[in-house]
Amino acid sequence: MSTYQKAPQEINDLAAEILRQFETHKDLIAAQVRVDFIFSSGQQDEDHNVTSPAIMHHGMPALGLCSIIPPKGRAMGRGDAEIILDADWWADAMEPEQKALLDHELHHIAVCSNRAGIVKHDDLGRPKLRMRKHDVQIGWFTVIAERHGMHSMERIQAKEIAAEKGQYFWPNIFNKAASTKPLKNLQI
């Protein structure tokens, strides 16, 4: 079973830096969105080896997970959103990887506004938020791609992603220095 603790202040500081750095986060700053950061650690054996993922999402291990905090939690003093980070991964990750994960999770948070661009607020006066979905969502079965080849949705989607967004997702992907850990079977 995973354990949870409030993330250290350095995570808030890094998130604030990311929010200021990228234009796509300006609405979060303007609306004064508050985010709670939580570290999750996977279960460990008696030798302190991690034996289970810290975070699961739809049955798959994940490095981070973002959610909007419901009004009841906000009324109790929580933030507007929460981001859970895999503390086991975080401890071994390089800073550029940490920043990329944190930016990814922050990007899920979208401020709701009316057609005039005015921020909507809830009964507590806090900004209304919604979860921004991924631009690309992948759910593939290798065995189906093997069985049906070019006719499988897996291969069709892969071909479309390579054609439309390959320059973003696949340059230098095989560069061994690009990542410290393989991300096999992982969702973010």
Side-chain angles (χ1 to χ4, degrees):
M1 175 177 273
S2 296
T3 59
Y4 300 92
Q5 65 182 20
K6 185 175 181 177
Q9 181 61 39
E10 67 188 49
I11 304 301
N12 292 34
D13 297 342
L14 187 58
E17 177 186 323
I18 291 167
L19 290 173
R20 288 188 305 270
Q21 184 177 2
F22 298 107
E23 183 73 14
T24 56
H25 296 309
K26 71 178 182 176
D27 58 338
L28 299 178
I29 294 171
Q32 298 179 344
V33 172
R34 293 188 345 235
V35 181
D36 292 341
F37 295 98
I38 301 167
F39 266 171
S40 177
S41 299
Q43 188 171 356
Q44 297 182 356
D45 63 18
E46 58 276 352
D47 296 324
H48 303 289
N49 297 311
V50 177
T51 60
S52 66
I55 304 169
M56 296 291 287
H57 183 64
H58 299 299
M60 298 295 291
L63 298 178
L65 191 59
C66 181
S67 60
I68 307 303
I69 295 177
K72 182 172 132 181
R74 291 178 179 198
M76 296 301 295
R78 299 277 319 273
D80 302 309
E82 90 176 5
I83 293 176
I84 303 172
L85 299 167
D86 182 328
D88 305 316
W89 176 85
W90 191 272
D92 294 332
M94 295 185 308
E95 186 175 330
E97 294 168 326
Q98 293 171 340
K99 285 182 176 180
L101 175 62
L102 200 49
D103 191 16
H104 174 105
E105 296 305 329
L106 287 166
H107 195 72
H108 276 297
I109 306 168
V111 177
C112 298
S113 58
N114 64 19
R115 291 180 189 208
I118 298 171
V119 174
K120 295 179 181 181
H121 291 85
D122 63 15
D123 295 340
L124 300 167
R126 300 300 307 150
K128 285 191 177 184
L129 304 175
R130 67 176 176 80
M131 289 294 293
R132 181 179 287 120
K133 295 179 181 180
H134 294 125
D135 298 333
V136 177
Q137 189 68 36
I138 300 172
W140 293 344
F141 291 109
T142 303
V143 68
I144 301 303
E146 289 170 352
R147 286 181 194 160
H148 300 279
M150 62 187 248
H151 302 290
S152 68
M153 287 298 108
E154 291 79 355
R155 293 272 301 271
I156 292 168
Q157 284 181 343
K159 185 176 179 181
E160 288 174 359
I161 291 168
E164 294 175 19
K165 299 185 183 342
Q167 72 276 16
Y168 298 113
F169 295 119
W170 284 294
N172 300 321
I173 194 79
F174 299 107
N175 180 351
K176 292 184 181 188
S179 179
T180 59
K181 288 185 175 183
L183 301 178
K184 185 178 180 187
N185 295 327
L186 188 69
Q187 292 186 2
I188 55 171

